[in-house]
Amino acid sequence: MRLTVKQLKNRDPGSGMAVIDRKALQEIDVSSGDFVAIKGRDGGRAVARVWPSDTGDAGRGIIRIDGQLRQAANVSIDDRVEVEKTEVEPADRVTVALPQSLRIRGDLGSHLREHLADQAVTAGQTVAFPIGFGMFSARSGRRIPLTVVDTQPSGTVVIQSSTDIEIADRTAQEVSV
């Protein structure tokens, strides 16, 4: 099904969420919490968990996604995308690379798992991770880009509470070269 991209409003950026009107959800044969593949320009592709829109979008053929998903799908606001149901396997392990300028001590894996829980990720994808301390981390608006280096199993997977998150020994810049 072809839908028009609009900005995701009143949600956390980087949530991996696509908001679609109920009529389109029925036509695609998906329910709240299912995953869809969003195909954009030049091979751009993103996978998102779907939620129904409010009544203001009903019947308008709109998909609301954040900038991170738009970038992965290689689309902009008001572009048309192809949306279809997709299956996503649970992740056993996900390896991410940090930006070159960032050094972390301690176990970042549990924080990443908590932030990325229930999100679909694919090797090569960049995900935004909020930085800050305690209750201020989500509200600071500051995010660092993390590159997904590898997933087990391969392909698009969903991060769960049992997923092992590893930090690569190479930086994101070294991985992408």
Side-chain angles (χ1 to χ4, degrees), residues 49 52 60 68 70 78 87 105 137:
R49 188 177 292 269
R60 294 179 54 205
Q68 188 171 300
R70 290 193 303 270
D78 294 330
E87 295 299 321
R105 291 186 187 164
S137 63

Side-chain angles (χ1 to χ4, degrees), residues 36-55:
V36 293
I38 305 163
K39 297 177 183 175
R41 294 188 304 255
D42 303 325
R45 182 177 185 273
V47 175
R49 188 177 292 269
V50 297
W51 298 106
S53 68
D54 59 23
T55 55

Side-chain angles (χ1 to χ4, degrees), residues 47-87:
V47 175
R49 188 177 292 269
V50 297
W51 298 106
S53 68
D54 59 23
T55 55
D57 284 349
R60 294 179 54 205
I62 290 174
I63 180 170
R64 292 189 180 275
I65 55 177
D66 66 14
Q68 188 171 300
L69 290 171
R70 290 193 303 270
Q71 182 178 7
N74 194 29
V75 295
S76 300
I77 302 291
D78 294 330
D79 283 351
R80 304 269 294 160
V81 293
E82 187 68 32
V83 180
E84 61 187 25
K85 184 177 186 172
T86 190
E87 295 299 321

Side-chain angles (χ1 to χ4, degrees), residues 97-100 103 147 149 168-177:
L98 302 172
Q100 188 170 10
R103 298 286 177 247
T147 302
V149 177
D169 56 1
R170 298 177 295 158
T171 67
Q173 290 80 359
E174 292 169 336
V175 169
S176 64
V177 172

